[in-house]
Amino acid sequence: MPFPFVGSKRSQKSSLVVQAKKAYDDSTYGPFEEGDVGISRDRIGKDGDGSQAFFSLYYRMYNSTRVKDCSIPKTTSKLPLVVLHGGPSLPSQYLYPLVSHLSLDRPIIFYDQLGCGKSDEPKEPQFYSIAHSVADLDTVLTTLGFSKDSRVHLFGHSYGGNLAFEFAKARPQLVQSLLLSNTPANMKQAGDSYDRLAARNPVGFWKERVCSVESPSLDNAMQNSGSVWAGMDVVLDYVASPPPMVDGKALFPSTLVVTCARDFAVESSQGWNSVLQGITNVELETVHLEKCAHYPHLEDGYSFGSVLETFMTKHDG
């Protein structure tokens, strides 16, 4: 059984991580639109010459005929949901099951971040960082037609929530609401917990603390994960900091934090209360799921989807 942070020292403890690239199952969750978005990086530093390198990111949109409608300010349509995968470099297909548990008329947008899945995977480490990924997300949304007057719900799972949080700080005017699931506020704390719990129960750790169900979509994501900038270790120094505040107020969206009792990262994911407390004008809602571990959308998709859809519907207006 593969470990959840492929490419990190934690995944290397297991000889069962499958490295071969496998094809996607494109028929499971209904019709979709797909394509590529171009991004660029500056070649700088010791080996750089100041030129630019160009890469492609793969995206997929479900219920996408309504995306353009939802870019109109104050629309009555359900606003789009943009979904950010974790890892880093664990591609989006493990999150595709969300489509089955959300409203059929809500546009849902996935994309594979640089370095994994169907997106390009440059071998230069300098092309990867959270700051680069924030800029890439901005490019993805701009390319897909979202203007400065558009609003989206932004969902991130695990490390994807860290990326979502940083994007919401950088571009709060675009984010209608922020949804964080199983997202560590302190990555080292989560990593230490992972190591401690895995050592305590190496045989049963996966089903007890990571994912209690078999999931072809998660297995497939593991098989298509990246290897250059991948796993918890490359962002181990990440500690969430509050958005800029003036007199206890911040330009920041309403936020949902979902934690799970059996998640190896539960203590760190509960740290968002400390990060966001004291911001008087930001609504913070927390939901704790008792029966799930690190992948609640796979372990109890109906309950998890209901939590997300209820929160988004509340903030669609």
Side-chain angles (χ1 to χ4, degrees):
M1 179 63 68
F3 276 66
F5 301 106
V6 174
S8 73
K9 66 181 181 182
R10 294 170 181 82
S11 70
Q12 293 167 4
K13 293 178 180 178
S14 171
S15 62
L16 300 179
V17 178
V18 180
Q19 299 297 334
K21 300 291 184 180
K22 301 294 183 180
Y24 291 85
D25 179 359
D26 286 337
S27 61
T28 304
Y29 306 108
F32 58 86
E33 295 181 17
E34 63 182 349
D36 296 291
V37 170
I39 61 168
S40 64
R41 294 284 190 273
D42 293 327
R43 295 186 182 276
I44 58 176
K46 180 180 178 181
D47 300 320
D49 58 4
S51 63
Q52 285 191 313
F54 298 92
F55 307 106
S56 293
L57 303 182
Y58 170 79
Y59 71 86
R60 174 179 293 200
M61 299 191 293
Y62 289 88
N63 308 325
S64 57
T65 57
R66 300 189 61 171
V67 168
K68 294 185 182 299
D69 295 334
C70 293
S71 68
I72 302 172
K74 299 182 180 179
T75 179
T76 57
S77 301
K78 289 185 178 295
L79 293 177
L81 172 65
V82 179
V83 178
L84 305 183
H85 65 73
S89 290
L90 184 65
S92 294
Q93 61 264 45
Y94 80 96
L95 290 166
Y96 291 167
L98 277 174
V99 175
S100 301
H101 302 296
L102 298 175
S103 174
L104 294 176
D105 59 350
R106 184 179 300 283
I108 306 173
I109 303 167
F110 302 86
Y111 76 98
D112 291 342
Q113 296 157 33
L114 189 69
C116 67
K118 291 187 175 182
S119 292
D120 287 341
E121 185 180 7
K123 301 305 180 183
E124 298 90 336
Q126 75 223 40
F127 291 154
Y128 299 89
S129 69
I130 293 177
H132 278 317
S133 297
V134 167
D136 290 345
L137 175 53
D138 198 22
T139 300
V140 168
L141 294 178
T142 300
T143 303
L144 293 182
F146 291 92
S147 69
K148 64 180 181 179
D149 295 321
S150 305
R151 306 286 284 181
V152 301
H153 299 291
L154 186 59
F155 169 86
H157 172 258
S158 194
Y159 158 75
N162 303 120
L163 174 55
F165 179 72
E166 295 304 321
F167 184 85
K169 288 200 296 185
R171 291 290 305 276
Q173 68 277 10
L174 184 59
V175 182
Q176 181 77 359
S177 77
L178 177 66
L179 303 92
L180 308 178
S181 174
N182 307 82
T183 298
N186 182 312
M187 198 64 74
K188 186 177 186 303
Q189 181 185 16
D192 290 344
S193 177
Y194 184 104
D195 289 339
R196 182 180 67 255
L197 293 170
R200 183 183 303 171
N201 183 16
V203 176
F205 172 72
W206 176 271
K207 285 194 172 182
E208 179 184 348
R209 294 293 187 172
V210 183
C211 189
S212 61
V213 298
E214 296 294 329
S215 171
S217 64
L218 180 56
D219 290 344
N220 187 260
M222 297 288 182
Q223 293 159 3
N224 288 277
S225 62
S227 60
V228 178
W229 196 70
M232 184 185 294
D233 292 341
V234 300
V235 289
L236 203 61
D237 60 350
Y238 179 86
V239 179
S241 60
M245 289 186 289
V246 177
D247 297 328
K249 296 182 179 181
L251 183 59
F252 199 75
S254 297
T255 302
L256 170 70
V257 175
V258 179
T259 61
C260 298
R262 295 169 50 212
D263 185 6
F264 69 88
V266 61
E267 293 179 357
S268 181
S269 63
Q270 291 173 330
W272 293 102
N273 291 326
S274 298
V275 174
L276 295 175
Q277 71 179 6
I279 306 178
T280 58
N281 64 318
V282 173
E283 176 188 350
L284 174 62
E285 181 176 330
T286 59
V287 175
H288 190 65
L289 301 178
E290 291 290 342
K291 298 181 180 180
C292 297
H294 196 65
Y295 293 90
H297 67 289
L298 301 174
E299 298 170 281
D300 187 1
Y302 177 80
S303 297
F304 185 74
S306 295
V307 168
L308 267 56
E309 189 60 48
T310 298
F311 184 79
M312 289 188 289
T313 299
K314 178 180 177 182
H315 295 283
D316 271 332

